[in-house]
Amino acid sequence: MHTLLITGPGGAGRTTVAAATALAAAREGQRVLLLSGDPGDPLAELLGDPIPPGLSVARVDSGQEFRDELVALQERGSALLAMVGARPLGAEELTELPGSEQFALLRALRRAAAAPATDLVVVDLPPLHQAVATLALPAQLRRYLARLLPAEKQAARALRPVLAQLAGVPMPAQWLYEAAARWDEELAAVQAVVEADTTEVRLVAEPGPAAADTLRLGRLGLALQQLPVSAVVANRMVPHGSADPWLAGLAAQQEKYAAEWADEGPVVALAHLGPDPQGQDDLDRLAAPGGLVPDAPAPRRAWTVEDRLAEDGVLVWVVPLPGAHKRDLDLVRRGDELLLTAGPYRRIVPLPSALRRCTVSGAALTEGELRIRFTPDPGLWPRTR
């Protein structure tokens, strides 16, 4: 199954483009699921009624997801809550907390990817900066769980069932580790969908200087997470050749930025329809030039280690970061991990095994690649005769 994640700067029309993409794919005979986490129900207004064959629409209800999850968590820990004298909260008392939208969307993405009889899942993600943070969450939280509750250090594991029987309630540590194991399993399933070779990201933006800055940083954050951008949709392109000086100037500016984006990868240009698109006829007009229905996802660029020991005495870790500026970047070695900062984004990655026996001896940014040099540590590196 193919998963297409659509995001972009706020107000750029990403929900409209997601709906047009899903509709165009369904018109071509694909079985499509369109998923959105936007509050309200903008897709219902965009698509109208009836929904065409081959297209299913699902909206994430983050409030209901939050209530269901917290009630289930209370039920699993009911014995422990009773032991400390806590009173469980009723579902009608619960209102969702900040951040629950991201978790609800990720769980819905996992369910959508496992949906039977589906060829394409189109996901209308939040605005770009929030989308990058959301897609990075599963890997980040799994790392936190592994550090704070490492499975290999569960002391007295064999005694816990006995202690639980004597006390009459599950031991807190046992309950905590069991909950952490469930969370890790769910996060791993979501992470597998996000990082799958069949998943790609498409950016939607209205060409202009503000969008260019946002896209550059967004691309940087996605590259840091090794998430490929398959194309940029240049939305609301006004026709060129107008006698009106204002329209002619706007068209020239849009063409300029769309051409710059085309130097970095495929660009799909969509015409400005005038009024906001409403209904399937408008969405069909928007998709008419073609290019919205995705092909097979492009392969992801791996972070490779170049062996330059013979020439320069170093190993070089090549990290593709297209659009990065030197001022955007920072890196810190800590144990067997590398803390990479790119603009407003940060990722902590484990070092490949060969590099763990080395020290960081320098880094350089060259043509969109961060090249980190590692020098073998004589005390750790295997000696050769």
Side-chain angles (χ1 to χ4, degrees):
M1 182 169 18
H2 191 165
T3 303
L4 180 63
L5 309 175
I6 296 182
T7 182
R14 69 184 189 283
T15 298
T16 300
V17 172
T21 302
L23 182 62
R27 300 276 200 229
E28 293 185 3
Q30 295 192 50
R31 297 165 298 179
V32 184
L33 174 60
L34 175 57
L35 177 65
S36 175
D38 273 355
D41 198 359
L43 292 177
E45 297 181 9
L46 277 170
L47 289 166
D49 192 58
I51 300 297
L55 177 60
S56 301
V57 180
R59 188 180 69 84
V60 180
D61 186 343
S62 57
Q64 187 61 47
E65 288 261 357
F66 177 79
R67 288 188 289 274
D68 292 345
E69 284 293 314
L70 193 52
V71 167
L73 184 63
Q74 289 182 142
E75 290 175 351
R76 288 195 294 265
S78 58
L80 179 60
L81 293 174
M83 183 177 67
V84 299
R87 293 193 326 172
L89 294 165
E92 67 280 357
E93 300 178 71
L94 301 175
T95 56
E96 60 181 311
L97 297 176
S100 59
E101 300 93 340
Q102 289 93 320
F103 289 102
L105 182 60
L106 288 171
R107 283 192 294 268
L109 175 59
R110 183 204 64 188
R111 292 193 297 267
T118 302
D119 302 313
L120 173 66
V121 177
V122 179
V123 185
D124 175 24
L125 288 176
L128 184 52
H129 178 73
Q130 185 180 348
V132 174
T134 299
L135 295 173
L137 261 182
Q140 289 176 346
L141 293 179
R142 292 189 72 202
R143 179 181 177 275
Y144 297 160
L145 285 173
R147 284 288 297 273
L148 297 173
L149 298 168
E152 66 274 10
K153 293 184 180 179
Q154 295 181 33
R157 181 187 299 176
L159 293 177
R160 286 200 188 109
V162 177
L163 294 174
Q165 287 181 357
L166 292 175
V169 295
M171 298 303 292
Q174 179 188 9
W175 180 85
L176 184 60
Y177 277 106
E178 288 174 352
R182 285 193 297 270
W183 293 335
D184 184 72
E185 183 179 356
E186 182 165 347
L187 289 167
V190 178
Q191 184 181 356
V193 175
V194 172
E195 297 178 354
D197 290 337
T198 53
T199 298
E200 61 179 296
V201 180
R202 182 173 289 181
L203 304 179
V204 179
E206 189 171 337
D213 291 339
T214 302
L215 283 194
R216 187 187 73 82
L217 288 177
R219 281 181 180 271
L220 196 54
L222 291 167
L224 192 63
Q225 301 300 328
Q226 293 178 271
L227 298 173
V229 175
S230 60
V232 173
V233 177
N235 197 23
R236 300 175 184 145
M237 298 284 287
V238 301
H240 53 79
S242 173
D244 185 313
W246 183 86
L247 282 177
L250 178 58
Q253 175 179 270
Q254 289 184 333
E255 291 286 348
K256 171 181 176 292
Y257 282 97
E260 291 177 358
W261 296 345
D263 291 337
E264 302 173 9
V267 170
V268 179
L270 299 183
H272 202 309
L273 298 184
D276 291 340
Q278 293 290 332
Q280 295 177 28
D281 289 343
D282 283 352
L283 295 179
D284 286 338
R285 287 173 56 208
L286 199 63
L292 279 185
V293 179
D295 297 322
R300 302 191 176 209
R301 293 185 64 184
W303 294 8
T304 58
V305 177
E306 293 182 359
D307 185 348
R308 301 194 59 81
L309 292 174
E311 300 89 341
D312 306 317
V314 296
L315 297 172
V316 180
W317 201 12
V318 183
V319 179
L321 294 174
H325 299 159
K326 186 177 180 180
R327 65 178 181 272
D328 296 324
L329 304 178
D330 189 25
L331 61 91
V332 177
R333 165 78 180 271
R334 188 175 65 186
D336 290 340
E337 294 178 324
L338 196 68
L339 284 69
L340 274 172
T341 300
Y345 306 103
R346 171 179 286 192
R347 185 183 180 193
I348 302 175
V349 291
L351 292 173
S353 58
L355 302 184
R356 296 175 188 176
R357 303 191 298 273
C358 303
T359 57
V360 178
S361 53
L365 181 65
T366 306
E367 296 181 352
E369 291 182 338
L370 179 62
R371 303 177 65 84
I372 310 170
R373 298 186 298 278
F374 290 80
T375 302
D377 184 335
L380 300 174
W381 197 258
R383 297 182 180 181
T384 57
R385 295 183 179 181

